[in-house]
């Protein structure tokens, strides 16, 4: 049996033009109610329904089974329709006009899917993934949530939700054709990657599950604003009872970040509404292969503070009642809710997939009997809410609207090639600009401090200046159990970099995270989209990799993929590097080139205490995400100490420092190789070789002008760094010098770097693996005699 990909028709198509155009009063009411955003005032609830917002319920059951109304029981059985019910209380307070409007939105969502499928077949769009089969629970969610008030982190099936919140068919079809006016991404992302600034729909990406931690961070921002008194008059768009909605499929529940998000949401009791849209398949993988027992919500029953609802997500009334109860739990400050909605997927995963390859005809036919659009339309007719003719008039009106929107979208201008580099970084705040350069003439005072001391001082002064700054990560607090704070010295990070920040600014602004790096970065992104300034710590660079998904696909891309609608200016502090005598494989890694090749991410690497202070302040005050690398070996070296600069001391990104003047050759370096190069240069000077040393300080961007000037001056170049030689950061510098400054070179560009292996525990092995001053000295000699 073949499943028709077109919308199932309940009644015959009206053939008379006059009938089509003469809409009844019911149809007009439904159409008018649909236009624009969803009503701010939700429908009054019947005595049988649970209060939504203002009316308080004495008890909210932790787990609520499916609705017990007679028609809901019948409707949950495939192929059966609910019996007639004239009492409006049976509709959970929904009026006749609202139910017609709901049907219109559900049908509209399906019709846009079908139109996109048609356009893909005509090669007028390039990708399609549908929300078919999910419409009922999504419209229900949109009915009980507030656009522009609550916050939304949808996934690609959520077309109907976005329509209910106020996104128009034209806006969705502009996304399908990749138009410049597309509010979701301005032509930069695939269709159904939702985003809408006015509706608080935060830019969505393709990786499944990354949105979950961000939604928790978004809700956590509201939680922390309530606790931080200095923010009460300095932030906007925060509401005491706001909810952060986030959705996922049954396959996504297998992702580790899903469980990390649930952990933090329950621990903090933040108002996150998790909607699990369970259609039984993750592309071709059935749910029982993904989940032990095949039922995600059963595994979550013992999570504290988590209110769980289960519903037939193809039944509009049952879904609506479940959503009301779930949202009420969140708005009352009782913690997160999870709605486990069983839905169907009547179409293939996307047009790149053919479900007939792995789903038998009888299974697909069984699903079609639960089609939410078909079921709700039939229910409205059987209940006497509307007539077949009026339902058809609604559908005919939607058909015309979608066709007109498609024509308009196809005629809409595409983005011009000149725009491709726009919004990789902030167009408003340039951390390379002169206003960030207060280095010259800065008056230093006090006793000399280490890099740890001056980073700590910067964090103290910046947190005092800006109450939006929150600091968190593993072990960064002085003591999580603040009742013990006066009895203990305090941790303040494994390297003491964040010592006494919690004592000074309180646990609402300085706090420990779970041992989960993706959790740290994902939550920080959610907070940053709300206007907070997270300065987070990954305890060791060696363990940054679980956060790579969040860094590469979310943090660095947020601004560009949304066309500057959204941003996430997070600072990630990371201890890095070797030379520790015992650091070994998993406490000595470098690997900076992995991050410097990510557009949208600033990467900074100071070599001394003063530079660390000024560069960190710039990182905090700039408007882009910054990876701030702090070499562990340099934390407490006497040779890189400095007195304390003023509280406005900043060093701009992309400004190198001439550590040592020279005429015979240039060394381009950074981090721990700066001092080793200085030692080698002093040795070379005794042999009459004059070496200039350039400390890049920031690696992305880097100071090309300083490199050019030095190469033109000395005509010989050595690039030295701690990364492995092959594919390391120095390869880019060397290649660009060779490509753009070849005529100024008197010798090939040389490199000194670590061996292409891992850092060993035994000191004699580490000394051989990592570049030493003797290696730099040898390279200087060889280059000088070339």
């Amino acid at each position: 049996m073949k499943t028709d990909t077109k919308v199932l028709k309940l009644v015959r198509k009206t053939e008379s033009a006059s009938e089509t155009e003469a809409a009844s009063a019911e149809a007009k009411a439904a159409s008018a109610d649909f236009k624009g955003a969803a009503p701010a005032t939700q429908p009054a609830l019947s005595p049988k329904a649970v209060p939504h917002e203002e009316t308080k319920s004495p008890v909210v059951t932790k787990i609520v089974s499916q609705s017990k109304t007679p028609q809901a029981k019948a409707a949950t059985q495939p192929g059966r329709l609910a019996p007639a019910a004239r009492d409006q209380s049976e509709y959970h307070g929904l009026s006749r006009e609202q139910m017609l409007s709901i049907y219109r939105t559900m049908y509209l969502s399906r019709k846009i899917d079908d139109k996109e499928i048609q356009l893909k077949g005509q090669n007028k769009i390039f990708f399609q993934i549908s929300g078919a089969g999910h419409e009922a629970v999504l419209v229900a969610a949109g009915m009980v949530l507030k656009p522009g008030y609550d916050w939304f982190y949808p996934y690609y099936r959520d077309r109907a939700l976005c329509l209910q919140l106020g996104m128009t068919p034209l806006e969705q079809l502009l996304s399908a054709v990749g138009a410049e006016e597309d509010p979701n991404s301005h032509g930069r992302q695939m269709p159904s990657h939702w985003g809408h600034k006015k509706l608080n729909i935060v830019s969505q990406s393709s990786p499944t599950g990354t949105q979950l931690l961000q939604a928790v961070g978004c809700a956590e921002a509201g939680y922390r604003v309530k606790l931080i008194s200095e923010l009460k008059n300095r932030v906007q768009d925060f509401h005491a009872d706001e909810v952060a909605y986030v959705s996922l499929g049954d396959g996504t529940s297998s992702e580790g970040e899903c469980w990390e998000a649930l952990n933090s949401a329950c621990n903090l009791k933040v108002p996150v509404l998790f909607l699990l849209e369970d259609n039984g398949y993750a592309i071709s993988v059935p749910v029982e292969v993904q989940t032990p027992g095949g039922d995600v919500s059963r595994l979550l029953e013992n999570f504290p503070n988590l209110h769980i609802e289960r519903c037939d997500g193809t039944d509009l009334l049952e879904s609506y009642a479940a959503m009301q109860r779930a949202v009420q739990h969140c708005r009352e400050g009782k913690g997160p809710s999870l709605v486990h909605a069983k839905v169907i997927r009547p179409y293939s995963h996307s047009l790149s997939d053919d479900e007939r390859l792995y789903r038998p005809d009888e299974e697909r036919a069984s699903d079609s009997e639960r089609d939410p659009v078909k079921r709700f339309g039939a229910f409205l007719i059987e209940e006497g809410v509307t007539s077949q003719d009026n339902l058809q008039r609604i559908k005919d009106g939607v058909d015309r609207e979608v066709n007109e929107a498609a024509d308009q979208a196809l005629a809409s201008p595409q983005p011009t090639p000149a725009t491709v580099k726009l919004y990789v970084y902030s167009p408003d705040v340039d951390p390379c600009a002169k206003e960030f350069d207060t280095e010259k003439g800065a008056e230093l005072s006090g006793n000399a401090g280490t890099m740890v001391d001056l980073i700590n001082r910067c964090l103290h002064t910046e947190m005092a200046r800006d109450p939006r700054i929150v600091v968190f990560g593993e072990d960064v607090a002085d003591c999580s159990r603040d009742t013990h704070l006066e009895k203990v010295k305090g941790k303040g990070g494994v390297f003491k970099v964040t010592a006494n920040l919690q004592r000074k600014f309180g646990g609402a602004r300085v706090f420990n995270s779970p041992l989960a790096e993706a959790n740290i970065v994902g939550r920080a992104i959610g907070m940053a989209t709300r206007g907070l300034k997270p300065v987070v710590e990954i305890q060791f660079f060696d363990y940054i990799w679980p956060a790579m998904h969040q860094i590469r696909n979310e943090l660095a891309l947020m601004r560009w993929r949304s066309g500057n609608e959204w941003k996430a200016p997070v600072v990630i502090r990371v201890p890095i590097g070797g030379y520790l005598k015992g650091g070994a494989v998993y406490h000595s890694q470098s690997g900076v080139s992995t991050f410097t090749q990510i557009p949208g991410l600033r990467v900074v690497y100071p070599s001394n205490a003063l530079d660390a202070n000024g560069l960190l302040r710039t990182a905090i005050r700039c408007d882009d995400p910054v990876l701030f690398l702090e070499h562990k070996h340099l934390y407490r070296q006497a040779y890189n100490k400095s007195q304390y600069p003023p509280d406005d001391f900043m060093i701009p990104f992309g400004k190198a420092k001439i550590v040592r003047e020279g005429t015979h050759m240039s060394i381009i370096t950074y981090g721990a190789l700066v001092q080793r190069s200085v030692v080698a240069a002093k040795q070379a000077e005794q042999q009459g070789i004059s070496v200039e040393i350039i400390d890049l300080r920031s690696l992305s961007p880097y100071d090309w002008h300083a490199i050019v000037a030095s190469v033109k001056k000395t005509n010989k170049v050595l690039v030295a760094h701690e990364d492995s030689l092959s594919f390391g950061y120095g390869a880019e510098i060397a290649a660009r010098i060779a490509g753009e400054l070849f005529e100024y070179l008197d010798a090939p560009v040389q490199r000194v770097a670590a061996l292409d292996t891992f850092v060993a525990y035994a000191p004699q092995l580490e000394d051989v693996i990592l570049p030493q001053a003797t290696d730099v000295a040898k390279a200087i000699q060889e280059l000088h005699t070339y």
Side-chain angles (χ1 to χ4, degrees):
M1 179 185 295
K2 294 184 179 180
T3 302
D4 192 354
T5 58
K6 295 183 179 180
V7 178
L8 295 167
K9 304 293 185 181
L10 300 177
V11 294
R12 64 178 178 80
K13 187 84 171 175
T14 305
E15 297 181 5
S16 167
S18 59
E19 269 187 284
T20 301
E21 294 174 2
S24 67
E26 292 169 322
K28 288 180 179 178
S31 179
D33 193 40
F34 169 80
K35 299 293 185 182
T41 304
Q42 301 298 338
L45 298 178
S46 69
K48 292 188 178 182
V50 179
H52 166 223
E53 188 173 347
E54 281 74 26
T55 307
K56 304 296 184 182
S57 172
V59 178
V60 178
T61 306
K62 178 177 174 59
I63 301 174
V64 183
S65 62
Q66 293 177 344
S67 174
K68 300 301 182 183
T69 58
Q71 80 273 19
K73 287 182 178 180
T76 58
Q77 301 180 41
R80 294 184 60 186
L81 299 176
R86 303 299 176 212
D87 184 355
Q88 186 170 309
S89 67
E90 295 293 331
Y91 306 145
H92 302 291
L94 292 172
S95 69
R96 189 182 198 185
E97 290 75 19
Q98 286 172 321
M99 287 194 289
L100 288 172
S101 177
I102 287 170
Y103 176 80
R104 188 182 193 280
T105 305
M106 291 171 63
Y107 179 78
L108 176 63
S109 179
R110 185 69 63 86
K111 189 63 183 181
I112 296 174
D113 273 331
D114 290 340
K115 173 55 70 173
E116 288 185 352
I117 290 170
Q118 179 189 57
L119 293 173
K120 177 68 169 67
Q122 297 169 345
N123 290 321
K124 293 180 178 178
I125 67 172
F126 321 107
F127 179 79
Q128 206 280 333
I129 190 165
S130 81
H134 295 227
E135 295 94 345
V137 72
L138 289 170
V139 173
M143 289 290 291
V144 298
L145 293 165
K146 305 175 184 179
Y149 184 98
D150 295 319
W151 291 81
F152 301 91
Y153 288 79
Y155 90 121
Y156 45 77
R157 303 282 184 213
D158 286 16
R159 182 187 303 282
L161 170 78
C162 295
L163 289 169
Q164 180 61 36
L165 294 176
M167 193 178 289
T168 68
L170 176 59
E171 288 175 328
Q172 295 198 350
L173 289 164
L174 286 171
S175 176
V177 303
E180 195 283 328
E181 293 183 359
D182 157 37
N184 299 275
S185 74
H186 300 278
R188 293 183 166 188
Q189 292 211 81
M190 286 176 165
S192 299
H193 287 51
W194 312 113
H196 201 292
K197 187 72 173 179
K198 291 182 180 178
L199 301 176
N200 286 355
I201 303 174
V202 181
S203 173
Q204 179 206 337
S205 66
S206 291
T208 56
T210 49
Q211 74 274 17
L212 294 161
L213 285 167
Q214 294 170 39
V216 173
C218 174
E220 186 178 354
Y223 162 77
R224 299 209 174 272
V225 163
K226 293 176 186 177
L227 299 176
I228 302 170
S229 58
E230 300 95 325
L231 288 179
K232 286 190 168 43
N233 298 318
R234 295 192 56 173
V235 294
Q236 298 177 342
D237 300 325
F238 285 87
H239 308 284
D241 64 344
E242 66 187 24
V243 175
Y245 163 98
V246 64
S247 57
L248 66 154
D250 48 285
T252 298
S253 68
S254 299
E255 297 278 359
E257 292 183 24
C258 173
W259 297 90
E260 291 180 23
L262 286 163
N263 285 348
S264 288
C266 291
N267 272 340
L268 296 169
K269 291 181 66 175
V270 288
V272 181
L273 172 62
F274 295 90
L275 173 57
L276 173 57
E277 300 171 42
D278 183 354
N279 61 32
Y281 278 94
I283 306 185
S284 69
V285 182
V287 65
E288 70 271 14
V289 177
Q290 298 274 353
T291 303
D295 189 335
V296 178
S297 60
R298 291 295 178 196
L299 302 180
L300 296 170
E301 289 180 2
N302 291 321
F303 269 50
N305 307 315
L306 180 64
H307 175 84
I308 297 177
E309 293 276 349
R310 298 187 179 95
C311 68
D312 179 351
T314 67
D315 183 310
L316 184 283
L317 293 181
E318 186 177 322
S319 298
Y320 181 66
M323 280 293 172
Q324 285 180 311
R325 293 188 290 266
V327 171
Q328 180 201 4
H329 180 81
C330 293
R331 293 207 195 278
E332 291 182 348
K334 296 179 178 179
S337 294
L338 178 123
V339 176
H340 186 175
K342 292 294 186 72
V343 294
I344 62 168
R345 198 189 74 190
Y347 300 171
S348 294
H349 168 75
S350 71
L351 288 191
S352 302
D353 171 52
D354 183 355
E355 67 173 10
R356 293 172 298 181
L357 299 175
Y358 52 87
R359 297 189 70 188
D361 289 344
E362 58 268 25
E363 181 180 285
R364 296 163 60 233
S366 177
D367 266 8
S368 71
E369 294 298 319
R370 295 178 57 226
D371 187 294
V373 179
K374 174 183 177 181
R375 288 179 66 184
F376 193 55
F379 173 80
L380 293 177
I381 293 170
E382 185 163 328
E383 291 291 294
V385 174
T386 191
S387 66
Q388 288 187 352
D389 286 344
N390 185 56
L391 204 65
Q392 187 62 53
R393 280 189 282 268
I394 291 174
K395 292 163 70 175
D396 290 343
V398 168
D399 292 349
R400 288 193 300 273
E401 181 180 2
V402 171
N403 288 332
E404 291 169 2
D407 291 341
Q408 190 174 347
L410 288 166
S412 184
Q414 295 280 300
T416 64
T419 65
V420 294
K421 290 187 178 181
L422 290 178
Y423 313 129
V424 174
Y425 301 101
S426 171
D428 305 312
V429 180
D430 181 6
C432 303
K434 290 182 179 179
E435 55 262 36
F436 285 94
D437 192 349
T438 63
E439 184 177 19
K440 187 176 181 180
E443 295 185 5
L444 307 181
S445 61
N447 296 325
T450 64
M451 183 184 285
V452 167
D453 296 329
L454 268 70
I455 292 174
N456 182 268
R457 172 69 69 86
C458 178
L459 290 170
H460 269 88
T461 58
E462 286 301 293
M463 291 190 75
R465 182 189 69 89
D466 187 353
R468 299 178 307 122
I469 297 174
V470 292
V471 172
F472 64 100
E474 298 161 18
D475 297 302
V476 301
D478 292 306
C479 183
S480 283
R481 294 173 176 167
D482 53 10
T483 55
H484 299 342
L485 199 54
E486 298 307 316
K487 304 175 185 178
V488 296
K489 185 177 180 180
K491 181 74 174 177
V494 296
F495 297 103
K496 304 297 183 185
V497 180
T498 55
N500 295 316
L501 289 177
Q502 180 192 358
R503 291 184 191 275
K504 176 69 174 177
F505 300 104
R509 295 182 64 191
V510 184
F511 47 94
N512 287 328
S513 73
L515 199 156
E517 288 76 15
N519 178 290
I520 296 168
V521 178
R523 286 164 60 195
I525 295 170
M527 293 183 205
T529 59
R530 299 295 306 277
L532 298 187
K533 185 71 180 189
V535 180
V536 302
E537 179 181 306
I538 302 295
Q539 195 167 88
F540 290 93
F541 180 86
D542 315 66
Y543 308 131
I544 199 171
W545 310 113
M548 194 61 177
H549 219 357
Q550 289 288 346
I551 295 170
R552 174 63 177 82
N553 285 323
E554 302 295 333
L555 179 67
L557 264 167
M558 181 68 74
R559 187 190 298 274
W560 187 89
R561 78 180 188 215
S562 68
N564 201 39
E565 300 286 350
W566 300 96
K567 62 182 180 179
V570 175
V571 178
I572 306 175
R573 293 182 39 257
V574 190
I576 190 173
Y579 303 106
L580 297 180
K581 301 302 180 191
V585 181
Y586 297 108
H587 293 80
S588 305
Q589 294 177 22
S590 291
V592 298
S593 58
T594 303
F595 295 90
T596 52
Q597 65 178 267
I598 300 175
L601 182 68
R602 310 284 192 181
V603 182
V604 182
Y605 203 148
S607 67
N608 58 77
L610 185 62
D611 287 355
N613 181 282
L615 289 167
L616 180 57
R617 187 168 286 104
T618 299
I620 292 172
R621 296 189 188 185
C622 89
D623 204 31
D624 296 313
V626 180
L627 185 67
F628 192 85
L629 301 172
E630 304 166 5
H631 201 293
K632 302 185 293 290
H633 175 73
L634 302 180
Y635 267 152
R636 290 180 171 85
Q637 295 295 333
Y639 60 74
N640 69 10
K641 284 185 174 183
S642 171
Q643 291 181 288
Y644 292 85
D647 292 349
D648 64 349
F649 178 73
M650 289 181 287
I651 297 171
F653 294 168
K655 181 186 176 184
K657 181 178 181 180
I658 301 176
V659 175
R660 195 172 190 276
E661 296 275 2
T663 57
H664 292 152
M665 68 179 65
S666 304
I667 297 181
I668 313 299
T669 188
Y670 60 87
L673 264 294
V674 173
Q675 179 62 18
R676 282 159 177 74
S677 296
V678 169
V679 171
K682 288 180 179 178
Q683 294 174 1
E685 187 176 33
Q686 296 174 2
Q687 301 171 20
I689 306 172
S690 175
V691 179
E692 182 156 290
I693 299 174
I694 305 294
D695 179 1
L696 290 176
R697 303 197 289 191
S698 74
L699 306 184
S700 180
Y702 62 87
D703 191 344
W704 177 242
H705 298 294
I707 294 172
V708 170
S710 188
V711 171
K712 289 182 177 180
K713 175 182 177 182
T714 67
N715 309 118
K716 291 183 178 180
V717 186
L718 177 65
V719 183
H721 59 69
E722 191 176 339
D723 270 352
S724 297
L725 180 69
S726 298
F727 318 108
Y729 181 82
E732 164 63 21
I733 303 298
R736 189 172 181 187
I737 291 172
E740 298 183 31
L741 301 173
F742 180 76
E743 63 269 31
Y744 297 101
L745 294 174
D746 291 339
V749 179
Q750 299 297 308
R751 288 176 290 160
V752 172
L755 300 181
D756 292 341
T757 184
F758 308 99
V759 180
Y761 174 75
Q764 64 270 27
L765 296 182
E766 183 190 61
D767 288 346
V768 172
I769 292 164
L770 295 180
Q772 307 297 330
T774 53
D775 299 311
V776 180
K778 180 181 177 182
I780 290 172
Q781 287 287 344
E782 292 175 353
L783 186 59
H784 180 67
T785 57
Y786 180 85

